[in-house]
Amino acid sequence: MTTFRRAFQSVALLMLSGATIAAELIPDQPHACDACEAWGKPHEPFRIYGDTWYVGGGLTSILITSDRGHVLIDGGLTQTAPQIAANIAKLGFKLEDVKLILNSHTHYDHAGGIAALQRASGAQVAASPASKLALEGGGPTRDDPQFAFGPEHNNFPPVRDVRTIQDGETLRIGDIAITAHFTPGHTPGGTSWTWNDCDGDMCMPFVYADSLNSVSAPGFRFSGDNTHKSRVASFRASIDKVAKLDCSILLTPHPEFMDLDAKLAVRAAQKPGERNPFLGDRQDCKRYAAGARERLDKRVAGERTPQ
Ligand SMILES: [Zn+2]
């Protein structure tokens, strides 16, 4: 009996230490930027709806959980990867149960933490062909509107073995089915993601809409120049695509675009049984797209004005 118990205990200890080693996250060098301090602020993780959770800080990271593994979207900055890992643990989930890591777009503020999260979890990373190039290269590709900001500003730790996915492809982990919608414009490989999540039998369509902001490094023209063709038509097509997505819950890479603080304030003041403030009126994606369309139109008009 005692021998058996001792053997059992050592196996249990081994399993425990194994779990600890597997989940240990070793962060990469912190990224320096003007907004990094605000973006790096920790945030309490919370349930958005069903099995979809907010695990980011000042930048959005989304965890979708299932009994047979989890999906994580976006890795924040290099220095926020440990916060994401801690938030996942705080919710009672294991980092090594994250089987798939996805990304909105390949800028340092959403892709910086992915390499460390991949190393610690052993998850597969899947991305559009254009995002795969940037993720594996550790920085935006030449055709990225922000490329000319330069490597020191732009680069992030390279991600290994990124699986290429197709536009419209649905990826499955357990009972999670998440579909990729390529929405190039802000970056060449930008991707929006959709899935359904249920609270009891109330299932809601989620949209994680990528950034649709027409911002660039100085000198880049969305309307084209002698180095590249106009991006305006394809950018508009991405905006139209997001506008048409079935959208009960809109999530965005920068939390202010989904009014995170306002929704949490509503929730904090609620009594049990009141409507979840993250549930929109199905017009949120349309409104989000309309804002992006207006900014792109302004930007293109500005590019027409001689400097
Ligand atoms: Zn960006």
Side-chain angles (χ1 to χ4, degrees):
M1 181 65 191
T2 41
T3 324
F4 172 77
R5 184 177 289 166
R6 219 173 289 136
F8 176 78
Q9 277 175 344
S10 58
V11 167
L13 267 174
L14 259 175
M15 283 166 71
L16 263 178
S17 60
T20 314
I21 288 162
E24 196 190 343
L25 185 137
I26 300 153
D28 291 295
Q29 285 294 316
H31 193 97
C33 74
D34 292 345
C36 281
E37 203 188 316
W39 286 342
K41 281 214 182 95
H43 198 292
E44 274 301 300
F46 64 92
R47 185 199 293 268
I48 298 169
Y49 185 88
D51 295 314
T52 300
W53 311 79
Y54 188 92
V55 293
L59 297 162
T60 306
S61 283
I62 300 296
L63 183 73
I64 313 167
T65 57
S66 87
D67 295 342
R68 306 229 311 271
H70 316 317
V71 178
L72 177 68
I73 320 175
D74 279 348
L77 299 162
T78 52
Q79 59 265 45
T80 53
Q83 289 173 22
I84 295 167
N87 280 346
I88 292 171
K90 211 168 185 178
L91 293 170
F93 300 111
K94 290 191 187 123
L95 189 57
E96 57 267 40
D97 289 337
V98 174
K99 301 297 179 201
L100 181 62
I101 300 177
L102 306 173
N103 173 230
S104 53
H105 67 270
T106 51
H107 286 157
Y108 66 87
D109 47 344
H110 312 287
I114 292 179
L117 287 157
Q118 180 190 38
R119 286 195 303 268
S121 64
Q124 180 171 61
V125 177
S128 66
S131 286
K132 174 187 161 82
L133 283 176
L135 287 171
E136 292 185 344
T141 43
R142 252 172 208 291
D143 50 355
D144 189 297
Q146 300 192 23
F147 180 78
F149 279 134
E152 202 183 322
H153 175 89
N154 281 337
N155 286 3
F156 51 80
V159 179
R160 281 188 299 182
D161 304 323
V162 176
R163 169 183 158 196
T164 307
I165 53 160
Q166 305 300 312
D167 190 15
E169 189 171 338
T170 297
L171 308 173
R172 290 173 199 278
I173 298 289
D175 61 0
I176 304 164
I178 181 161
T179 302
H181 305 266
F182 292 180
T183 45
H186 182 70
T187 63
T191 305
S192 299
W193 300 95
T194 60
W195 66 99
N196 281 307
D197 203 344
C198 309
D199 190 0
D201 50 11
M202 288 274 285
C203 296
M204 295 294 168
F206 274 71
V207 176
Y208 188 60
D210 189 19
S211 297
L212 296 173
N213 276 331
S214 38
V215 289
S216 74
F220 181 88
R221 291 166 60 92
F222 284 93
S223 48
D225 57 23
N226 55 12
T227 67
H228 69 92
K229 285 189 201 149
S230 171
R231 307 279 180 80
V232 178
S234 69
F235 206 149
R236 287 214 173 105
S238 296
I239 292 170
D240 291 346
K241 208 172 185 180
V242 168
K244 287 192 191 108
L245 292 173
D246 190 9
C247 187
S248 269
I249 297 180
L250 169 67
L251 306 174
T252 57
H254 288 277
E256 55 272 28
F257 281 94
M258 57 165 160
D259 297 324
L260 179 72
D261 290 342
K263 285 172 183 165
L264 285 177
V266 168
R267 184 179 268 185
Q270 280 184 329
K271 294 181 197 79
E274 287 189 295
R275 184 181 164 83
N276 185 334
F278 286 88
L279 285 174
D281 57 2
R282 297 223 164 184
Q283 302 301 308
D284 285 343
C285 284
K286 273 195 195 73
R287 278 191 287 267
Y288 181 67
R293 199 176 294 121
E294 204 182 302
R295 289 190 295 276
L296 179 61
D297 288 347
K298 245 188 224 151
R299 167 76 196 225
V300 171
E303 288 181 3
R304 266 193 228 111
T305 319
Q307 305 291 308

